[in-house]
Amino acid sequence: MNSAATTLTLYELAAADPALRFSPHCWKTRMALAHKRLDALRLPWRFTETEALAFSGQSRVPVLVNGAETIADSWRIALYLDERFPDAPSLFGAADAIAPVRFINSWADGALSPAIGRIILRDIHDRLGDADRVYFRASREIRYGQSLEDVVADRPTHLSNLQRVLAPLRETLKHQPFLSGEAPAYADYCVFGMFMWARCVSLVELLEDRDVVFAWRDRLLDAFGGLARSAPRHQP
Amino acid sequence: MNSAATTLTLYELAAADPALRFSPHCWKTRMALAHKRLDALRLPWRFTETEALAFSGQSRVPVLVNGAETIADSWRIALYLDERFPDAPSLFGAADAIAPVRFINSWADGALSPAIGRIILRDIHDRLGDADRVYFRASREIRYGQSLEDVVADRPTHLSNLQRVLAPLRETLKHQPFLSGEAPAYADYCVFGMFMWARCVSLVELLEDRDVVFAWRDRLLDAFGGLARSAPRHQP
């Protein structure tokens, strides 16, 4: 099956500007679709548009619709894409790689995401429409136990903490160009999504340009004809 | 080639008690050898016994000697074992899994090891002989910029920080019994080595018994006929 024969729909989190698609998890799926050479109709969805996702039984994106099939959760979507489109390039390579890549995905969500979140949380808020701002502030201030402003107040400390969190990624990339080895695949996309999250909503630079992580991010920004580099982002 | 036909020698870091082999990196190799069904003559080595390793050009263990071949560094030893003994169970499975497992190994060394180190550093010191104590205190106090006693002073905070660092491992193990999938392999051993480090030198309990990480560690303690569980450890 090729992309021409497939009509996929992807629900993506959007900012007030519907072109600004900033969710790290939606970016994981976006890169996965490009890797599989699949096109999708990409529909904007906002935090407060619960009705629009009701058909899927989900309250969060990404949600992928392929004909009669609805798949939610970026990890499950990645597994689905490899299973459903086996002739396109694999997102995991051999089945033996799926289990360790799950750890990398969990690290991206459980270690990297909080470290970046503490830097960009207020920037995310500022990109949202009015209804989403109310939801976002309330839910995040409960999660962090602080005001958004207090969460991000000490940016130098949070940037320094991020460098510490990135140590295992940095060490790995000294030995291989991608987390997946010689070429990028899902192990890379699930981490890269976190950097796209920051890139889309914030002007802050998370990395120094002599960092191997910076060079790796650059290679992924250039992948698939510069798909990620050319994506709409917040402009000053 | 089977283990009966192979004479391997492994240099392992030892405490004052030569039976107490506590290095996390040596434990990675120890588990890897068991996985490959290989026996080795395990020689104790101390931090200050630089002469004894001079033949290898190394100043650190593990060092594995297989006839005319000398291999240092636990990661390189793991790759070597899979290449040299292809008929024994694989440590990585498919080649596609090596690259993501390298990240897990880097996470064990760069995130988990410092988090556990801040809990057990003084305990390590107390297990060493006199000459090694002098070396260990001096080198670690330079690395941390604090006295050993100050590094470990606030144990509750360090234990709490460890739980945070373990979040990606915990999340992964909710979905699969081992980092390597259904059965343990090197992705597990490189993380488990860090827990053996603590187990051998310290009486501190790092995990709560309802934690999925606790259950995973238990499964690895039981692997290979209880090899790790029955290993000599510090007794009160």
Side-chain angles (χ1 to χ4, degrees):
Chain A
M1 184 170 291
N2 59 49
S3 59
T6 308
T7 306
L8 297 171
T9 303
L10 177 64
Y11 288 83
E12 287 185 320
L13 188 62
D17 173 0
L20 202 64
R21 309 289 173 93
F22 64 95
S23 154
H25 305 287
C26 292
W27 268 105
K28 296 179 189 180
T29 298
R30 187 89 188 277
M31 297 295 282
L33 287 167
H35 185 98
K36 300 296 287 185
R37 299 173 187 163
L38 292 164
D39 286 326
L41 175 66
R42 299 168 41 240
L43 297 180
W45 176 85
R46 271 74 172 222
F47 285 118
T48 46
E49 296 175 352
T50 46
E51 289 288 311
L53 279 188
F55 76 93
S56 69
Q58 298 297 320
S59 58
R60 292 195 293 185
V61 289
V63 168
L64 182 73
V65 180
N66 180 22
E69 298 178 288
T70 299
I71 311 96
D73 180 89
S74 53
W75 177 257
R76 289 182 55 229
I77 290 171
L79 295 177
Y80 170 84
L81 292 175
D82 254 10
E83 201 172 285
R84 187 73 179 74
F85 303 98
D87 297 337
S90 173
L91 286 165
F92 296 96
D96 288 335
I98 295 175
V101 174
R102 191 196 275 270
F103 176 84
I104 298 179
N105 188 56
S106 296
W107 176 81
D109 293 354
L112 184 55
S113 168
I116 294 179
R118 285 202 162 263
I119 300 168
I120 65 166
L121 210 64
R122 175 59 199 264
D123 294 325
I124 299 170
H125 169 274
D126 291 353
R127 305 289 89 77
L128 303 177
D130 289 343
D132 273 19
R133 283 189 186 191
V134 172
Y135 158 81
F136 187 80
R137 179 177 289 279
S139 61
R140 270 50 176 183
E141 293 189 346
I142 287 170
R143 186 186 298 175
Y144 285 87
Q146 284 180 301
S147 73
L148 292 187
E149 290 69 23
D150 283 347
V151 171
V152 302
D154 187 3
R155 181 170 278 186
T157 295
H158 299 324
L159 280 169
S160 160
N161 178 55
L162 173 63
Q163 303 315 313
R164 197 177 49 71
V165 168
L166 287 172
L169 178 60
R170 188 169 290 124
E171 177 61 24
T172 305
L173 293 172
K174 287 178 188 167
H175 301 280
Q176 56 196 46
F178 294 101
L179 286 169
S180 306
E182 292 302 313
Y186 201 72
D188 297 277
Y189 308 144
C190 67
V191 176
F192 178 69
M194 299 297 152
F195 287 96
M196 286 307 294
W197 182 37
R199 178 183 167 91
C200 290
V201 300
S202 177
L203 300 173
V204 68
E205 181 46 80
L206 301 177
L207 302 171
E208 295 187 13
D209 59 9
R210 62 201 161 93
D211 188 344
V212 292
V213 180
F214 185 101
W216 163 85
R217 187 184 60 179
D218 250 9
R219 292 192 288 275
L220 287 162
L221 283 165
D222 290 334
F224 313 120
L227 169 72
R229 194 183 291 284
S230 62
R233 61 189 296 207
H234 174 59
Q235 301 296 333
Chain B
M1 185 170 289
N2 60 48
S3 59
T6 309
T7 305
L8 297 170
T9 303
L10 177 65
Y11 288 83
E12 287 186 321
L13 188 62
D17 174 359
L20 203 63
R21 309 289 174 92
F22 64 95
S23 155
H25 305 288
C26 293
W27 268 104
K28 296 178 188 179
T29 298
R30 186 89 188 277
M31 297 296 282
L33 287 168
H35 185 98
K36 300 296 286 185
R37 298 174 189 163
L38 292 164
D39 285 325
L41 176 65
R42 299 167 43 239
L43 297 181
W45 176 86
R46 271 73 172 223
F47 284 117
T48 46
E49 296 176 350
T50 46
E51 289 288 311
L53 278 188
F55 76 94
S56 69
Q58 298 296 320
S59 58
R60 294 196 293 186
V61 290
V63 169
L64 182 73
V65 180
N66 181 20
E69 298 178 290
T70 299
I71 310 97
D73 180 89
S74 54
W75 177 258
R76 290 182 55 230
I77 291 171
L79 295 177
Y80 170 85
L81 292 175
D82 255 10
E83 203 172 283
R84 188 73 180 74
F85 303 98
D87 296 338
S90 172
L91 286 165
F92 296 96
D96 288 334
I98 295 175
V101 174
R102 191 195 275 271
F103 176 85
I104 299 179
N105 187 56
S106 296
W107 176 81
D109 293 354
L112 184 54
S113 168
I116 294 179
R118 285 200 163 265
I119 300 168
I120 66 166
L121 210 64
R122 174 60 200 265
D123 294 325
I124 299 170
H125 169 274
D126 291 354
R127 301 292 89 75
L128 303 177
D130 289 343
D132 274 19
R133 282 189 186 191
V134 171
Y135 158 81
F136 187 81
R137 178 178 289 277
S139 61
R140 268 50 177 184
E141 293 189 346
I142 288 170
R143 184 185 299 174
Y144 284 87
Q146 283 181 302
S147 73
L148 293 186
E149 290 69 22
D150 283 349
V151 171
V152 302
D154 187 2
R155 180 169 278 184
T157 294
H158 300 324
L159 279 169
S160 160
N161 178 56
L162 173 65
Q163 303 317 312
R164 197 176 49 71
V165 168
L166 286 173
L169 178 61
R170 188 170 290 123
E171 177 60 24
T172 305
L173 293 173
K174 287 178 187 166
H175 301 281
Q176 56 198 45
F178 294 101
L179 287 169
S180 307
E182 292 301 313
Y186 201 72
D188 297 277
Y189 308 144
C190 67
V191 176
F192 177 68
M194 298 298 153
F195 287 97
M196 286 307 293
W197 181 37
R199 179 182 166 93
C200 289
V201 301
S202 177
L203 300 173
V204 68
E205 181 47 80
L206 301 177
L207 304 170
E208 295 186 12
D209 59 9
R210 61 201 162 94
D211 188 343
V212 290
V213 180
F214 185 101
W216 164 84
R217 187 184 60 178
D218 250 9
R219 291 192 289 276
L220 287 162
L221 283 165
D222 289 335
F224 312 120
L227 168 72
R229 195 183 290 285
S230 63
R233 60 188 298 206
H234 174 59
Q235 301 295 335

